Amino acid sequence: MKEVICLVLGNVSTNTYILKEKEHCIIFDPAANPKRILKEVGSCHVDAICLTHGHFDHIQAVDALVKQLHCDVYISEADEEMLRDSKKNASIMIEPFTIETPVHHYQPITKIGNFEFEVMEASGHTKGSVLLMIDDLMFCGDVLFKEGIGRCDLYGGSFSQMKATLKKISKINKDYKIYCGHGENTTLYDEFKNNPYLKEL
């Protein structure tokens, strides 16, 4: 049975998730504080770090974790450039940094160890934002929030692309548990009812 652990970390209270099953796990969007993340990982084997997009507040602990865990890192091809440019990843807001770790790119179906994700392109917040879906779980980064959406005014953002992404989301016929990049988690059907950006489609 899968277990999801949420840690709220970093300068802007980003949700970092650890998805555990048996003795394996995946870390999503390690925002900061690698020691705290490793403490929660415990004795689990980390199969990979999965990034929903390339903003600084979702990637800050990547290099430190990889040095200790020697695990793979996944991000969309379109957002890889953000890892290598502090202006594009918006870390100029804090202490600018870039990621040195090599990365893998998602496929529409991405298998990592015993975890198999459906990956949906979800541009708008960034060019390469993705939704990562496994069983009834959706890790959405900053695409969707409870009754809101992510901002579209930073590098790679586009409100027109976000609207196209929301139209794709509106056609999903499954009530996913949504694990958002910030704030409370929600469900897809609750967002169909209550999120003004989805209701107006």
Side-chain angles (χ1 to χ4, degrees):
M1 183 170 178
K2 294 180 177 64
E3 174 190 9
V4 180
I5 297 166
C6 178
L7 304 173
V8 182
L9 303 171
N11 308 72
V12 290
S13 299
T14 303
N15 293 333
T16 291
Y17 297 104
I18 302 169
L19 174 64
K20 291 186 175 184
E21 186 173 38
K22 298 180 180 177
E23 299 302 316
H24 290 259
C25 70
I26 287 179
I27 301 170
F28 295 88
D29 293 350
N33 200 339
K35 289 183 179 178
R36 177 74 182 90
I37 295 171
L38 289 169
K39 181 179 179 182
E40 204 62 56
V41 164
S43 61
C44 275
H45 179 270
V46 177
D47 290 349
I49 294 169
C50 288
L51 305 175
T52 60
H53 64 290
H55 282 143
F56 78 91
D57 55 314
H58 294 253
I59 65 174
Q60 202 164 356
V62 168
D63 279 347
L65 288 172
V66 170
K67 285 178 182 177
Q68 296 192 61
L69 298 170
H70 308 289
C71 61
D72 292 332
V73 177
Y74 286 78
I75 193 169
S76 66
E77 185 173 4
D79 268 15
E80 182 178 356
E81 63 173 352
M82 298 176 72
L83 305 181
R84 320 300 180 195
D85 188 320
S86 60
K87 290 182 180 178
K88 292 177 180 178
N89 69 36
S91 64
I92 54 171
M93 297 178 181
I94 53 164
E95 185 69 27
F97 72 93
T98 57
I99 301 300
E100 299 176 359
T101 301
V103 297
H104 301 272
H105 298 142
Y106 294 114
Q107 301 300 317
I109 300 295
T110 297
K111 186 171 173 53
I112 302 169
N114 291 326
F115 300 94
E116 185 171 283
F117 294 93
E118 180 183 351
V119 181
M120 178 184 288
E121 295 180 359
S123 60
H125 180 61
T126 65
K127 290 188 289 185
S129 289
V130 292
L131 307 180
L132 302 171
M133 294 164 284
I134 182 169
D135 298 341
D136 64 342
L137 314 176
M138 177 190 288
F139 299 89
C140 70
D142 291 357
V143 176
L144 278 179
F145 298 133
K146 185 173 182 178
E147 300 180 16
I149 59 172
R151 61 191 293 180
C152 302
D153 60 333
L154 297 175
Y155 174 80
S158 164
F159 188 64
S160 63
Q161 289 179 9
M162 178 66 86
K163 288 194 292 186
T165 288
L166 294 173
K167 285 183 180 179
K168 286 198 299 184
I169 292 171
S170 73
K171 293 178 170 62
I172 297 175
N173 188 26
K174 184 173 181 178
D175 191 18
Y176 284 98
K177 299 172 186 174
I178 299 179
Y179 294 93
C180 306
H182 302 272
E184 296 179 58
N185 298 321
T186 183
T187 70
L188 187 56
Y189 284 4
D190 280 346
E191 293 313 295
F192 287 163
K193 294 176 186 175
N194 302 314
N195 191 316
Y197 295 95
L198 286 168
K199 286 173 68 176
E200 70 182 20
L201 294 175

